[in-house]
Amino acid sequence: MRTIKHTISYTEFDSAAELDSTDRKLLEAATEAAANAYAPYSGFSVGAALLLESGTIVRGANVENAAFPSGICAERSAIAAAVSNYPGDKPRIIAIAAFTGDGMTAEPVTPCGNCRQVIGEEEIKSQSRIRIILGGKNKVILIEGIDNLLPLQFSKNNLSINLP
Ligand code: THU
């Protein structure tokens, strides 16, 4: 028997002003993207912006549905748009910001489990880490790679088939 310990790490900033300009601009793009959210059921508008290797920024927003499980989060909207429109262009950084009637959330919103899994798939596909930037009014969090959000992720290695 043995106990395995995983350590996760991330960086906190007091505000977006402390980010480098690429990360700050991406967080601004996520903020803009949230304006396009369709979130009549939760009133919680989320925007995501994905920076691709080519420099292209792909935006996504949450799109809800009266059949609640049919809705999609902002992160997966952005990733689906990137994969659909820019195949092969590796995702490097994703920024996320969420808004209620009071403006941006005070604390950064962390991606749900489904979105973590999908970000993880992109890392495996591109064989490189994705930086995750989470915006909040009181704090900004920077995470270097999905391992820090989803240790022991399910992946193609768990399937008994050989994929590239
Ligand atoms: N949501 C996102 O778009 N991203 C997250 O990281 C957390 C949750 C959406 C899903 C739903 O439309 C609303 O926020 C409330 O859960």
Side-chain angles (χ1 to χ4, degrees):
M1 195 192 97
R2 62 199 151 264
T3 301
I4 313 293
K5 288 192 180 164
H6 284 254
T7 305
I8 67 150
S9 70
Y10 55 88
T11 308
E12 287 189 357
F13 299 90
D14 291 335
S15 83
E18 294 176 25
L19 294 172
D20 76 28
S21 74
T22 302
D23 293 348
R24 194 171 55 249
K25 281 180 193 148
L26 204 63
L27 194 51
E28 283 165 12
T31 296
E32 288 165 15
N36 295 335
Y38 175 66
Y41 302 105
S42 69
F44 196 70
S45 298
V46 187
L50 190 61
L51 177 69
L52 306 179
E53 191 173 45
S54 64
T56 301
I57 292 175
V58 181
R59 292 169 169 79
N62 56 331
V63 181
E64 297 184 347
N65 193 283
F68 289 2
S70 301
I72 186 168
C73 293
E75 297 89 325
R76 278 176 290 142
S77 285
I79 290 169
V83 172
S84 304
N85 293 293
Y86 304 96
D89 200 346
K90 296 180 180 181
R92 292 294 186 212
I93 313 176
I94 187 167
I96 301 148
F99 295 78
T100 64
D102 296 330
M104 187 186 280
T105 55
E107 294 300 311
V109 165
T110 55
C112 78
N114 270 337
C115 290
R116 293 178 196 205
Q117 185 66 30
V118 170
I119 293 168
E121 185 80 17
E122 290 304 309
E123 281 198 356
I124 289 166
K125 211 193 335 161
S126 65
Q127 295 187 308
S128 50
R129 284 214 165 111
I130 297 175
R131 175 180 297 166
I132 301 156
I133 298 161
L134 309 173
K137 251 190 291 206
N138 296 346
K139 192 197 287 177
V140 174
I141 293 178
L142 188 155
I143 304 168
E144 294 287 6
I146 200 68
D147 266 0
N148 289 298
L149 274 179
L150 188 63
L152 297 180
Q153 69 174 282
F154 182 81
S155 75
K156 64 180 181 182
N157 298 331
N158 299 112
L159 297 171
S160 313
I161 52 173
N162 286 321
L163 291 172

